Amino acid sequence: MKRINIIKSIFFVGTIAFGVSCTNLDEEVLDGFVINNEAGGTVNTAAFLQSAYEGLRGFQDQDKMFTLDEMSGDGLVGPTRGGDWDDNAKWRQFHVHTWGSDNVEIRNAWNSLLTNVYNCNLVIYNTATDSQKTQARFLRAFYYYNVIDLFGQAPYREEGTDITDNPKFWTRKEATAFVISELEAIVAKLPARVANDASIANADAAHYLLAKLYLNKGVFNADNAAGPYTFDAADMNKVISNVDAISSSLAPEYWSNFAPTNNTSNEIIFSSKNVLGSGGGIQSRWRMGMHYNQIPDGWNGFATVAEYYNKFDAADDRRQHTSPSIIQYYGNPIGFQYGQMYGPEGNYKTNKDGTKSLMTEADYKNNVPYVHYLGGVVDLHDRNGHPLFFTKEVTMITSGPTLETAGIRTQKYEPDHANLGNPENDYVLMRYSDALLMKAEAALRGGTGGAATAQAILDQIDLRAKLPAGSTPATLDGIYLERGKELWYEGWRRNDMIRFGKFLAPRELKPTTSDPKYALYPIPADALFNPNVTQNPGY
């Protein structure tokens, strides 16, 4: 049997860790994979590539990478509400920076990312088409980027090593250089982005990811993960040239990027595709904070602090979005929800005999032809009969009359009313407005164009948000503010806060400066059985 070894990247809690060998490769391959074995078996590379794509759905859920990227920042909190939402304090630990290496969401993120590195390698090092291998190399680069960003080091296995050997670890600088070299080697081989479907690896996505890497290279190559950081002008010009190579444009309307039909937006550079009726965890984007009595109902968990909400001007279109159909279906605008919440009194269908009757959940699911008539709205209440009035005030442990209502809630994606449990919205992983803001930042950090280039970009994005040109100044502080408003809850806040030197600072519900160790997450305990890995400093 001929073997080629790859990165061991699956860690099952309490059972499988680095250094564990597998004696029956036909039964379970953990350290390597098999090609051309004696029985004539082959690896189904198409299936593993599909698995690598489906792994992107892990970014849609409310936990794992989303929690690590957003709840550790200045906007999102996961308060304990009486006996709900405690889970051994795992949610609260992120916002206040008290997590340890035993936090299950940190372990789950590590496992998810490296499982998909493993799936990609099964394609890259087996008999696959050139297209399959190129797509897998791009996906592996994307997963590795997130490992580098979150954990600061990455496991790898040299080709030809024995499967019983422990994988080696790249330093953050080494892993960054590897991912950049991979992307630069394949970008010309990747196809152009397919119209109305950004879920396939494409050249624009590779240029975007290269821009993201060069923008953060000063962070990833720093001697100390907490800074200080030096941003080289040559790297900033690489950011600019890669953004300029992207063939895209801003969507005329901000919220079209998050609608059930968002696959049609040219602004979306790369996405995780959902097919109607088989969507991933994207429903979490409207259920994670919404109350049980709202339409659609939610889990009444996560909230936004007032300090973050107050960054938005009242006229900013990115703060809230409404339409007759949104009010008709749900009673409230989407976006940030603050104040009294409402529910439709009744949405009606027109029957064949001309009479009207109330729509049922089955009617929505079965797409029964209907004409809606808004029967009026009603004030909603919580389960204790208190008005469902979401407050700006929230504490990490809530109780009393505002137990269920403390904290501003959010819906970044418009609910797919015909299929609330398995929506069609594609999940946005890369968006052109982010690329433009990266270019503006790079221009201000020493790249060509300077403040004039940055201001032109900021004006373009502000005008789309229904704000006057000049609303955001062409300064690094202005870029930081704009990124927080444009990209809220899209998975970039922690990354941005670290690069701008804001992540460890005090903020609402986190009154003290964090220990510098929190600039990186700890390597999960299971992975530490490998003697080649050293725990990140401070843990």
Side-chain angles (χ1 to χ4, degrees):
M1 183 182 292
K2 297 193 328 191
R3 301 185 181 115
I4 299 177
N5 295 302
I6 61 167
I7 300 163
K8 179 189 290 183
S9 48
I10 298 179
F11 307 93
F12 294 102
V13 180
T15 59
I16 296 173
F18 282 137
V20 179
S21 65
C22 179
T23 57
N24 185 346
L25 291 183
D26 294 322
E27 186 173 353
E28 187 173 49
V29 181
L30 297 176
D31 285 295
F33 52 86
V34 183
I35 60 172
N36 301 327
N37 65 24
E38 292 89 344
T42 58
V43 171
N44 188 339
T45 53
F48 280 107
L49 180 61
Q50 181 64 29
S51 293
Y53 273 112
E54 290 178 354
L56 297 169
R57 291 183 177 179
F59 289 86
Q60 300 182 25
D61 299 325
Q62 68 176 13
D63 52 8
K64 300 190 291 293
M65 287 72 76
F66 178 74
T67 290
L68 271 60
D69 286 327
E70 290 292 345
M71 196 170 286
S72 60
D74 57 346
L76 188 67
V77 296
T80 295
R81 300 181 186 275
D84 293 336
W85 289 99
D86 187 63
D87 300 303
N88 296 316
K90 73 171 182 178
W91 307 112
R92 289 187 278 121
Q93 290 174 354
F94 285 102
H95 190 78
V96 299
H97 293 187
T98 58
W99 60 75
S101 59
D102 60 343
N103 188 293
V104 68
E105 296 306 330
I106 295 173
R107 184 196 67 209
N108 290 345
W110 171 270
N111 289 352
S112 176
L113 293 169
L114 290 174
T115 294
N116 286 292
V117 168
Y118 170 81
N119 289 332
C120 291
N121 278 305
L122 285 170
V123 179
I124 295 166
Y125 296 113
N126 273 292
T127 303
T129 68
D130 289 342
S131 174
Q132 288 175 333
K133 290 185 178 184
T134 302
Q135 291 177 68
R137 289 173 74 181
F138 168 78
L139 292 172
R140 183 178 64 175
F142 177 75
Y143 287 119
Y144 260 144
Y145 170 85
N146 284 276
V147 175
I148 294 165
D149 183 34
L150 296 171
F151 298 100
Q153 52 184 304
Y156 73 99
R157 185 180 291 280
E158 293 176 340
E159 183 176 335
T161 56
D162 191 273
I163 61 170
T164 61
D165 292 343
N166 287 305
K168 298 178 181 180
F169 269 72
W170 282 313
T171 65
R172 204 178 202 189
K173 186 174 183 178
E174 291 168 339
T176 300
F178 170 78
V179 176
I180 289 175
S181 67
E182 277 286 277
L183 289 168
E184 291 182 338
I186 65 172
V187 63
K189 301 177 183 179
L190 285 164
R193 188 156 39 101
V194 176
N196 299 330
D197 186 3
S199 68
I200 303 168
N202 61 81
D204 285 345
H207 282 298
Y208 171 102
L209 191 53
L210 278 167
K212 189 70 73 173
L213 281 154
Y214 277 112
L215 185 64
N216 288 281
K217 191 176 175 183
V219 176
F220 295 165
N221 286 357
D223 293 333
N224 187 328
Y229 312 123
T230 300
F231 299 93
D232 187 83
D235 291 334
M236 298 303 101
N237 282 328
K238 285 282 192 178
V239 175
I240 293 169
S241 63
N242 275 287
V243 172
D244 287 346
I246 296 172
S247 177
S248 188
S249 60
L250 292 182
E253 295 293 330
Y254 178 80
W255 291 95
S256 64
N257 292 302
F258 311 102
T261 56
N262 64 343
N263 63 291
T264 61
S265 172
N266 188 55
E267 184 173 341
I268 298 175
I269 295 171
F270 189 53
S271 64
S272 174
K273 189 174 184 59
N274 288 316
V275 179
L276 187 63
S278 61
I282 200 168
Q283 62 175 305
S284 69
R285 292 305 183 270
W286 55 78
R287 295 199 192 271
M288 64 186 185
M290 293 186 68
H291 190 269
Y292 318 106
N293 293 339
Q294 287 183 273
I295 300 175
D297 62 327
W299 306 320
N300 204 48
F302 298 172
T304 296
V305 298
E307 187 174 73
Y308 193 86
Y309 174 81
N310 290 338
K311 296 178 187 292
F312 290 82
D313 185 273
D316 196 325
D317 185 56
R318 298 166 296 191
R319 188 177 75 162
Q320 199 173 72
H321 174 61
T322 191
S323 70
S325 62
I326 287 174
I327 297 300
Q328 194 170 40
Y329 298 144
Y330 315 120
N332 306 285
I334 62 172
F336 291 91
Q337 294 186 341
Y338 158 62
Q340 178 63 48
M341 294 295 105
Y342 303 97
E345 184 178 72
N347 294 324
Y348 295 84
K349 62 182 178 180
T350 300
N351 301 310
K352 291 182 178 180
D353 62 1
T355 62
K356 301 182 185 69
S357 60
L358 190 66
M359 288 289 291
T360 66
E361 184 68 14
D363 288 331
Y364 285 115
K365 289 182 178 179
N366 294 327
N367 290 314
V368 171
Y370 55 83
V371 175
H372 278 291
Y373 294 89
L374 186 61
V377 294
V378 295
D379 293 357
L380 293 179
H381 293 75
D382 68 15
R383 294 179 299 178
N384 296 312
H386 301 118
L388 190 61
F389 188 104
F390 293 142
T391 68
K392 287 187 176 183
E393 297 75 26
V394 63
T395 55
M396 293 308 297
I397 299 178
T398 63
S399 61
T402 62
L403 175 67
E404 297 182 9
T405 59
I408 299 161
R409 312 306 169 86
T410 57
Q411 292 175 295
K412 187 67 184 266
Y413 286 76
E414 180 182 342
D416 186 351
H417 75 90
N419 207 42
L420 292 174
N422 291 287
E424 192 174 12
N425 317 58
D426 290 348
Y427 186 71
V428 179
L429 293 164
M430 303 177 185
R431 196 153 60 83
Y432 187 57
S433 66
D434 183 7
L436 289 176
L437 286 170
M438 286 195 284
K439 178 179 177 178
E441 182 181 339
L444 291 175
R445 291 193 187 275
T448 57
T453 292
Q455 191 65 66
I457 290 172
L458 290 167
D459 287 352
Q460 185 181 0
I461 292 174
D462 275 339
L463 286 169
R464 203 262 297 268
K466 308 296 193 294
L467 298 172
S471 296
T472 305
T475 63
L476 287 176
D477 284 343
I479 295 286
Y480 177 71
L481 177 64
E482 191 76 338
R483 289 188 64 83
K485 293 188 292 184
E486 176 69 20
L487 301 167
W488 62 272
Y489 298 174
E490 292 185 47
W492 298 114
R493 193 56 177 168
R494 172 191 167 275
N495 176 266
D496 289 344
M497 294 186 77
I498 288 174
R499 191 173 64 257
F500 281 88
K502 310 283 189 182
F503 186 68
L504 303 174
R507 49 184 173 266
E508 186 172 355
L509 300 184
K510 191 181 85 71
T512 61
T513 299
S514 303
D515 188 296
K517 72 178 185 180
Y518 291 110
L520 286 175
Y521 286 106
I523 304 300
D526 287 350
L528 296 176
F529 285 100
N530 180 356
N532 293 328
V533 63
T534 301
Q535 181 59 279
N536 285 328
Y539 291 104

